[in-house]
Amino acid sequence: QVELVESGGGLAQAGDSLRLSCAASGRTFSTYRMGWFRQVPGKEREFVAEISSTGVVAYYADSVKGRFAMSRNNAKNTVYLQMSSLKPEDTAVYYCAADPHTVTSGRPDYWGQGTQVTVSS
């Protein structure tokens, strides 16, 4: 069982930066691939980023590539999403996800409760 708790969301202006954190419980954190998704009301949850279990490889949605960076610290059971050059269209609830194989299927085993990010123009 893995519990995920996101933090770091809030209000930002266009062009600002924010860093989201996701703290995970469980002794097997380092074996999980981790990801970030986001969702706005009335739309499906969309993939943002995924990172390998070792943190060596990361993948990003085209909409955030070059602006967002995902990292992890396995010693702290935490993953991060550094968001830069924020745009109003980045406004969403951001969810952390964990899966032993991949999160990009959209059906990872574990989800966090989400953290709101609001970007004003």
Side-chain angles (χ1 to χ4, degrees):
Q1 184 76 12
V2 176
E3 292 188 5
L4 305 173
V5 180
E6 301 97 334
S7 61
L11 299 174
Q13 292 191 335
D16 283 354
S17 298
L18 279 177
R19 189 177 80 157
L20 304 183
S21 299
C22 173
S25 65
R27 293 174 291 178
T28 59
F29 172 78
S30 63
T31 67
Y32 280 79
R33 297 181 72 91
M34 302 294 295
W36 288 95
F37 290 74
R38 63 188 183 187
Q39 188 171 27
V40 297
K43 292 190 176 182
E44 291 188 356
R45 194 171 297 186
E46 68 168 347
F47 168 78
V48 174
E50 180 185 29
I51 195 166
S52 64
S53 59
T54 60
V56 171
V57 181
Y59 304 94
Y60 301 93
D62 288 343
S63 58
V64 306
K65 200 172 294 182
R67 299 188 299 119
F68 290 11
M70 187 173 183
S71 61
R72 66 190 295 163
N73 184 329
N74 285 345
K76 295 184 177 181
N77 278 19
T78 303
V79 294
Y80 306 96
L81 185 68
Q82 179 67 49
M83 305 185 295
S84 303
S85 302
L86 284 165
K87 304 176 181 180
E89 50 263 44
D90 294 320
T91 295
V93 177
Y94 283 72
Y95 296 90
C96 180
D99 193 275
H101 304 296
T102 180
V103 301
T104 56
S105 66
R107 295 185 299 275
D109 284 355
Y110 303 102
W111 291 99
Q113 84 289 351
T115 186
Q116 177 72 46
V117 172
T118 303
V119 183
S120 61
S121 58

